Amino acid sequence: MLRRLRLWLFGSGDAAQLPERVRAAIERQQEQSEILIGWVQLVIVVLVGTVYETSSMPGGVVQEDYSFEFEVLVIYGAFCLLRLALAYARLLRPWMLYLSVIADMLLLMGLIYSFHYKYAQPAVFYLKVPTLLYVFLFIALRALRFEARFVVFTGLTAIAGWIGLILYAVGGRGGPANPTDDFVEYMTSNALLVHAEVDKIIAILLTTLVLALAISRARHLLVQAVSESTAAQDLSRFFDPGVAARIRGAASSITAGEGELRDVAILTVDLRGFTRLSMELPPDEVMKVLQDYQGRVCPLIAAAGGSIDKFLGDGILASFGAVLPSATAAADALRAADAVMAAAAAWREERRAAGLPPLEIGLAVASGRVVFGAVGDGERLEFTVIGEAVNLAAKLEKHNKEEGTRALTDGATFALAERQGYRPSAAHERRPNRKVGGVTESVDIVVLAA
């Protein structure tokens, strides 16, 4: 029990069982909370100080030698600045936070204690000052960290401080306590009504418990939100950004078997000779080559508006106009193809200059109407495109070998791209009536890169 209490007070609490990356994200949130708490405390000091300096304080028999409000505010302001500096430096530790709570309450209770000297009244006088209301502000401040332990500690410290002031007043060392059971007498004279002080303690305790309960629930939601956010960030690396956005923005749960018709362009890219190379190189070198290749190609596809549908080993299947409908899908796909081929030429020269065997990239573009939707068994889903355009793009990419080319598209797609604003940087060779793979009808092809 003591070990669990110690862990709750000074350990990482419920975050201890979380993955390191999630725990780090929560700690960053808490560090930001401590900075916010520091600024709020500083603003409170400035506002209260401004009120004290610009408004007339209550009169009466005032002993100025015991007017410590200004000094307390200066000390507390300096304390807040130090705490804020430590928060920005990420140097605050749990024991420092507990010490900060104690310092807050010592200053507040000390200020309240001084009032019976300032106004030359018995100690029971200070039990009625409204300054006690700042206790609730200090308790609420600790809620900004989303850790119930600090809320509870602040409330208990406040109760302990107030009980100390009550005991001092009851003890008679600060003047007669004048105990009474008459509420009117209590309100209109320097009399002590124990029930009234118990009510204040109960109010502080209940406020603390309600806030602690609220923060415990909020903490659970925070941990859940950070966990899901971290998982979403990790998962987004496995999904195309457009697909990830579609999943996040779905009005209802996505299920397999739902599809939409789309007029799209399909781009397939393949790394030539990679199968042979993968058998010659160590596994880590194989993956480095693959990463280098994909790291060059994928950003170019995304920059042109394409979505990576899937990685097929060293092959890449990308769609334009599937995730989000586009009126320039074919033009965008051909622009991406031109950019990929330019990057392939640069990569080839880099490898040659480094004494490495040059690698070639082959690609093809086709367009048409496809079905875009989720497929899977219900437990694992994948967004994909299905249709003749996908098949034709794959067959055109393989047909590069027969034509002795590196990049091809069909004549219909090229013409469509031109109508959509595509302007080739150089003349493209047209080769009519080609038999492509298992396509029954002859296809007019356009060579994008020989």
Side-chain angles (χ1 to χ4, degrees):
M1 178 63 75
L2 290 176
R3 182 176 179 272
R4 292 183 64 183
L5 179 62
R6 181 178 60 81
L7 285 174
W8 187 70
L9 287 174
F10 297 102
S12 53
D14 54 2
Q17 306 300 321
L18 296 173
E20 176 62 31
R21 66 186 189 283
V22 177
R23 188 161 61 248
I26 292 175
E27 288 175 358
R28 287 193 296 270
Q29 291 284 344
Q30 291 177 333
E31 289 169 352
Q32 291 298 319
S33 296
E34 289 302 330
I35 292 173
L36 177 60
I37 290 171
W39 277 111
V40 171
Q41 288 179 314
L42 205 56
V43 168
I44 291 171
V45 171
V46 173
L47 290 178
V48 174
T50 302
V51 170
Y52 270 99
E53 292 299 317
T54 60
S55 61
S56 59
M57 292 292 100
V61 180
V62 179
Q63 302 183 87
E64 293 297 337
D65 289 343
Y66 295 102
S67 295
F68 298 122
E69 292 90 348
F70 180 76
E71 288 80 359
V72 169
L73 288 173
V74 170
I75 294 172
Y76 190 60
F79 176 75
C80 290
L81 286 173
L82 174 62
R83 189 184 184 286
L84 192 58
L86 290 173
Y88 270 108
R90 306 294 195 269
L91 295 176
L92 285 175
R93 300 294 179 265
W95 68 267
M96 295 180 184
L97 301 179
Y98 290 119
L99 185 62
S100 173
V101 171
I102 294 172
D104 290 346
M105 291 305 163
L106 280 176
L107 286 170
L108 181 61
M109 297 302 168
L111 180 61
I112 293 173
Y113 172 80
S114 71
F115 283 155
H116 83 286
Y117 290 114
K118 176 178 179 177
Y119 292 99
Q121 298 293 320
V124 291
F125 173 81
Y126 61 57
L127 296 177
K128 299 179 183 179
V129 299
T131 309
L132 176 64
L133 295 175
Y134 284 103
V135 161
F136 298 101
L137 179 59
F138 284 124
I139 295 173
L141 268 178
R142 303 306 163 190
L144 295 176
R145 187 182 168 87
F146 287 95
E147 281 194 274
R149 54 179 172 160
F150 292 107
V151 174
V152 171
F153 184 78
T154 305
L156 294 179
T157 303
I159 290 173
W162 193 245
I163 289 175
L165 291 179
I166 294 172
L167 292 176
Y168 179 82
V170 170
R173 285 172 291 179
N178 301 322
T180 183
D181 290 327
D182 189 325
F183 184 73
V184 174
E185 182 184 0
Y186 162 74
M187 292 296 294
T188 58
S189 66
N190 284 328
L192 172 67
L193 180 63
V194 174
H195 295 297
E197 303 312 318
V198 172
D199 280 347
K200 294 174 187 176
I201 292 173
I202 291 175
I204 296 172
L205 180 61
L206 290 178
T207 300
T208 299
L209 292 178
V210 170
L211 264 179
L213 179 61
I215 291 305
S216 294
R217 297 185 65 187
R219 169 79 174 184
H220 175 73
L221 293 176
L222 172 66
V223 171
Q224 184 178 5
V226 171
S227 299
E228 290 181 356
S229 175
T230 304
Q233 290 177 2
D234 290 341
L235 288 173
S236 66
R237 298 169 63 191
F238 292 88
F239 291 95
D240 176 84
V243 172
R246 184 184 179 93
I247 294 172
R248 288 194 299 268
S252 59
S253 178
I254 297 172
T255 59
E258 297 178 351
E260 303 173 43
L261 286 175
R262 290 275 199 269
D263 289 317
V264 306
I266 303 297
L267 169 65
T268 59
V269 187
D270 182 68
L271 185 58
R272 303 272 181 86
F274 182 74
T275 301
R276 175 184 51 80
L277 189 68
S278 64
M279 293 186 291
E280 297 174 353
L281 295 177
D284 58 339
E285 290 297 323
V286 172
M287 297 308 295
K288 287 179 182 178
V289 171
L290 194 59
Q291 181 184 23
D292 192 13
Y293 152 66
Q294 293 172 341
R296 293 168 185 265
V297 171
C298 294
L300 298 176
I301 295 173
S307 299
I308 305 298
D309 187 88
K310 57 176 61 70
F311 294 103
L312 304 168
D314 60 312
I316 300 172
L317 174 63
S319 61
F320 294 75
V323 178
L324 292 175
S326 172
T328 59
D332 294 337
L334 290 191
R335 293 188 188 102
D338 290 342
V340 169
M341 296 317 297
W347 188 34
R348 184 170 59 250
E349 294 305 318
E350 286 178 23
R351 289 184 61 85
R352 184 177 286 116
L356 300 172
L359 294 172
E360 294 286 352
I361 291 177
L363 62 80
V365 178
S367 62
R369 180 158 293 186
V370 302
V371 175
F372 171 72
V375 295
D377 61 358
E379 294 299 321
R380 183 188 184 280
L381 299 178
E382 180 180 271
F383 274 102
T384 190
V385 283
I386 302 171
E388 186 56 36
V390 181
N391 298 332
L392 179 58
K395 291 171 182 176
L396 281 172
E397 195 284 314
K398 290 182 173 58
H399 192 69
N400 274 303
K401 296 178 182 179
E402 296 184 25
E403 297 289 338
T405 57
R406 290 180 291 125
L408 293 174
T409 187
D410 62 285
T413 297
F414 190 85
L416 177 60
E418 287 185 313
R419 291 197 298 272
Q420 293 175 354
Y422 172 67
R423 296 294 177 266
S425 57
H428 290 77
E429 181 185 356
R430 295 176 181 269
R431 299 180 183 180
N433 299 320
R434 290 296 204 261
K435 279 291 185 181
V436 177
V439 178
T440 55
E441 297 181 1
S442 297
V443 178
D444 293 337
I445 63 173
V446 178
V447 179
L448 301 176

